[in-house]
Amino acid sequence: MFLNEAALSTRTSSAGGTPAPERTPSYGSAVRRYEYRGACVIVASGEFDLGSLPPLHDALSTAVRHYPKVLLEASAVTFADSTFLNLLIFTHQTGTLRVIAPSAQVRRLCEITGVDTVLEIRRTIEEATAS
């Protein structure tokens, strides 16, 4: 279901069976983790700022302590600010971090700050695990 469909769909309320609008999904953030070829892959999606960063911080901090290589899949990051960027730099300094397929917003943030010359950015997970 597309976002617009979710926002426009209706459900039946418990009071009398009249249609009630569903809540529009939030535009928060999500973090999930899995292992791939001995590396920890963190998939980040949504918006990351000071308020939404703790789950990503926890995931990266744990991963860098337990895996020789940490891969951050950032293609679905729709917003990132300086706290996100600081977290990437910190993770890079404490372990081996590769950023995979960053979204245009993340790529631009890295370019204008010069962080793209410090972080290892790869197009695919295969490239990231091979380097």
Side-chain angles (χ1 to χ4, degrees), residues 46-57:
E47 302 174 351
F48 290 93
D49 59 17
L50 183 60
S52 60
L53 202 64
L56 181 59
H57 177 272

Side-chain angles (χ1 to χ4, degrees), residues 20-60:
E22 281 188 5
R23 292 184 176 186
T24 303
S26 69
Y27 295 96
S29 60
V31 177
R32 63 185 179 88
R33 180 177 77 90
Y34 65 93
E35 190 173 314
Y36 181 79
R37 294 186 180 174
C40 182
V41 180
I42 308 291
V43 180
S45 61
E47 302 174 351
F48 290 93
D49 59 17
L50 183 60
S52 60
L53 202 64
L56 181 59
H57 177 272
D58 293 345
L60 288 171

Side-chain angles (χ1 to χ4, degrees), residues 54-85:
L56 181 59
H57 177 272
D58 293 345
L60 288 171
S61 295
T62 300
V64 81
R65 285 192 311 268
H66 295 95
Y67 289 87
K69 192 178 292 184
V70 177
L71 313 176
L72 175 64
E73 207 284 3
S75 64
V77 174
T78 56
F79 175 80
D81 69 0
S82 61
T83 57
F84 176 86
L85 196 58

Side-chain angles (χ1 to χ4, degrees), residues 62-110:
T62 300
V64 81
R65 285 192 311 268
H66 295 95
Y67 289 87
K69 192 178 292 184
V70 177
L71 313 176
L72 175 64
E73 207 284 3
S75 64
V77 174
T78 56
F79 175 80
D81 69 0
S82 61
T83 57
F84 176 86
L85 196 58
N86 286 335
L87 176 59
L88 297 187
I89 294 167
F90 177 74
T91 304
H92 169 74
Q93 291 174 338
T94 58
T96 301
L97 174 69
R98 306 281 190 274
V99 179
I100 304 168
S103 65
Q105 202 279 334
V106 172
R107 184 172 292 281
R108 179 74 176 133
L109 181 63
C110 290

